[in-house]
Amino acid sequence: MSSAGSAIEWFDFFIYGTAAALVFNKLFFPASDPLVGTLLAFMTFAIGFVARPLGGIIFGHFGDRVGRKPALVAALFLMGGSTALIGLLPTYDAIGVAAPLLLVVLRLLQGIAVGGQWGGAVLIATENAPRGRRGLYGSFAQLGVPAGLMLSSLVFLVTTSTLDEKQFEAWGWRVPFLCSIALIVVAIFAQFNLEETEDSRQAKQERETSGASGASRSPVVEVLRKHARNVLLAAGAVVIVGAGFYLFVTYMLAYGTTVLDMPKSTLLNAVLVGAALQIPALMAFGALSDRIGRRKVYLAGALGMGLWAYPAFVLMNTERWPLVTLALVVGQLLFAAMYGPQAAFFSELFTAEVRYSGASLGYQLGVMLGGALTPIGATWLYAKYGSFVPVAGFLAVAAAVSCACVLVLSETYQQEEEPVALADESYADDEQPLTAG
């Protein structure tokens, strides 16, 4: 269930990035020159990332106080509704400046929704996992990323292949956004069929029966008071995840089409191949983290991502489909090495009563910094220097930051889980909680 919901939710989030790279610069910012139009389109793309920490705070509060299930269901409804409305949005030619303004509002709602959904899907998977299998089970929730990416790339590939450019710009781009109505169906199904996790039930029961003064405090306040260090380190660890992923699946589309003048279908096919290979890779890396630890697997992916940026651009510049595909596929597999164990890694950093807030806030802050800045920063760097080398250097710096943060974080996969009732008494500020792994 968490995999299905995540897949459609990420499909909704990714189609915006693809549309921003391929068509939004013409439809919503037509008065600008091509470079400025692309930058403005990516700025609206980035707004969704700015909203994600807010979504983590809002849904994290309800996910910790009320339950994982209702928070997840509400996030699915919000994402499905806001994405469908983008598909109905008039363009600049129809309503003028109101078009990009409405686009920004709907993108903000998308960001809030995905900021809340991730924590719910991840915790339902990891908190229901058997002992010693959190890495593998957590990777199931992460499968939504490649599945959503495959769906978004496939839908855009079909529409761009079957429609001419005028038809695609007139109405074809709307089709992927209107498909998001399926997410509302998934939300309704989850409402009636998904069960709450035992950790969430115990945490809620403890708050209701303890009568402790801390029980009324906001989970976000609690997690910042007790686990601020872990929140910041988790955010730093995610910077390369956001930067690497959106460089290879969003900026590379714009680079290939605008700088290299490659066909859209060539790039979308390459992204599609990488997304398909990500699915088994995520599960494999998640399972591997159950055996050798979260940090080792995560570090290997972060280091590899930083080193791969330069050769990836060299391969892209050949404009040959096999080499372009290799560049994008390797980048996505390195992303999987981090994203596979990430769900278990981050959930194990926080106690059950603040886990939704802590994991969501750390992840969303990091991906905001890495994901939001990458397409804009990469576009600006290439325009300023006329070379991909500074862009590759940008990714290398992001990798160095994340590697340093992961090295500071403690390993969690072999720790035992303490009873929820003892959580407030057992952990000092910034002390690692003991969790099953």
Side-chain angles (χ1 to χ4, degrees):
M1 183 64 230
S2 62
S3 296
S6 294
I8 303 175
E9 176 110 4
W10 284 108
F11 164 79
D12 288 359
F13 200 70
F14 288 150
I15 56 176
Y16 192 103
T18 305
L22 299 180
V23 72
F24 277 0
N25 58 331
K26 301 176 183 177
L27 296 177
F28 291 93
F29 310 100
S32 306
D33 64 52
L35 172 61
V36 175
T38 300
L39 283 170
L40 290 173
F42 278 149
M43 285 179 69
T44 62
F45 174 72
I47 286 170
F49 290 90
V50 176
R52 284 172 67 166
L54 177 60
I57 291 172
I58 295 171
F59 287 95
H61 176 87
F62 290 104
D64 285 325
R65 300 284 293 183
V66 180
R68 318 308 193 208
K69 172 185 167 179
L72 175 61
V73 170
L76 295 177
F77 271 114
L78 180 60
M79 176 60 92
S82 58
T83 307
L85 287 174
I86 292 176
L88 299 173
L89 192 64
T91 63
Y92 185 93
D93 287 341
I95 60 173
V97 72
L101 291 177
L102 289 172
L103 186 66
V104 167
V105 171
L106 293 173
R107 182 58 176 172
L108 279 169
L109 293 178
Q110 274 195 322
I112 291 172
V114 81
Q117 177 273 341
W118 182 84
V122 160
L123 295 189
I124 285 173
T126 57
E127 290 182 349
N128 285 321
R131 181 183 178 86
R133 305 291 294 279
R134 284 197 178 192
L136 176 61
Y137 274 61
S139 71
F140 295 158
Q142 308 290 69
L143 295 180
V145 169
L149 181 59
M150 285 178 64
L151 288 172
S152 65
S153 297
L154 185 60
V155 170
F156 271 104
L157 183 62
V158 170
T159 53
T160 55
S161 299
T162 57
L163 303 175
D164 60 39
E165 189 168 351
K166 288 185 177 180
Q167 290 174 319
F168 179 73
E169 292 183 7
W171 59 269
W173 68 271
R174 299 181 184 275
V175 174
F177 290 92
L178 295 176
C179 288
S180 67
I181 294 172
L183 188 58
I184 298 175
V185 177
V186 172
I188 294 172
F189 180 85
Q191 175 63 36
F192 290 102
N193 293 275
L194 196 63
E195 293 186 3
E196 190 56 84
T197 70
E198 184 62 29
D199 281 4
S200 179
R201 284 194 292 263
Q202 288 185 16
K204 185 177 179 180
Q205 183 180 7
E206 172 61 20
R207 282 194 307 271
E208 292 172 349
T209 59
S210 67
S213 59
S216 61
R217 191 177 285 121
S218 165
V220 175
V221 173
E222 280 292 279
V223 80
L224 293 176
R225 187 176 72 88
K226 292 187 175 183
H227 305 291
R229 176 175 175 270
N230 281 353
V231 169
L232 293 176
L233 289 173
V238 177
V239 168
I240 184 58
V241 175
F245 184 82
Y246 288 100
L247 182 95
F248 283 103
V249 305
T250 298
Y251 174 72
M252 285 298 195
L253 289 179
Y255 180 80
T257 55
T258 61
V259 176
L260 303 178
D261 200 26
M262 296 175 62
K264 296 181 180 71
S265 59
T266 298
L267 298 163
L268 289 171
N269 274 317
V271 170
L272 197 59
V273 172
L277 294 176
Q278 263 192 66
I279 293 177
L282 281 167
M283 293 187 289
F285 287 124
L288 182 62
S289 76
D290 286 327
R291 297 178 61 86
I292 67 172
R294 319 293 184 212
R295 290 202 312 166
K296 292 178 182 177
V297 181
Y298 201 106
L299 277 171
L303 182 61
M305 183 72 81
L307 295 175
W308 181 245
Y310 184 90
F313 275 103
V314 173
L315 294 173
M316 284 286 296
N317 287 345
T318 67
E319 301 182 35
R320 297 173 59 187
W321 187 83
L323 298 181
V324 168
T325 302
L326 178 63
L328 300 185
V329 165
V330 172
Q332 291 186 62
L333 292 180
L334 291 168
F335 163 81
M338 297 176 284
Y339 207 61
Q342 185 186 77
F345 194 13
F346 284 17
S347 67
E348 290 166 353
L349 294 173
F350 306 98
T351 54
E353 63 272 18
V354 296
R355 188 172 291 149
Y356 203 128
S357 298
S360 295
L361 192 55
Y363 174 68
Q364 303 303 344
L365 284 172
V367 83
M368 176 188 71
L369 295 173
L373 295 177
T374 296
I376 297 172
T379 301
W380 179 82
L381 285 170
Y382 189 87
K384 181 175 179 60
Y385 296 102
S387 169
F388 67 82
V389 175
V391 181
F394 172 85
L395 198 64
V397 171
V401 170
S402 292
C403 285
C405 291
V406 174
L407 287 170
V408 176
L409 282 168
S410 298
E411 183 58 81
T412 60
Y413 81 113
Q414 288 184 326
Q415 294 176 344
E416 303 288 339
E417 184 168 16
E418 287 287 335
V420 174
L422 300 179
D424 284 337
E425 302 171 3
S426 301
Y427 307 119
D429 289 5
D430 294 330
E431 184 177 344
Q432 295 287 344
L434 300 177
T435 55

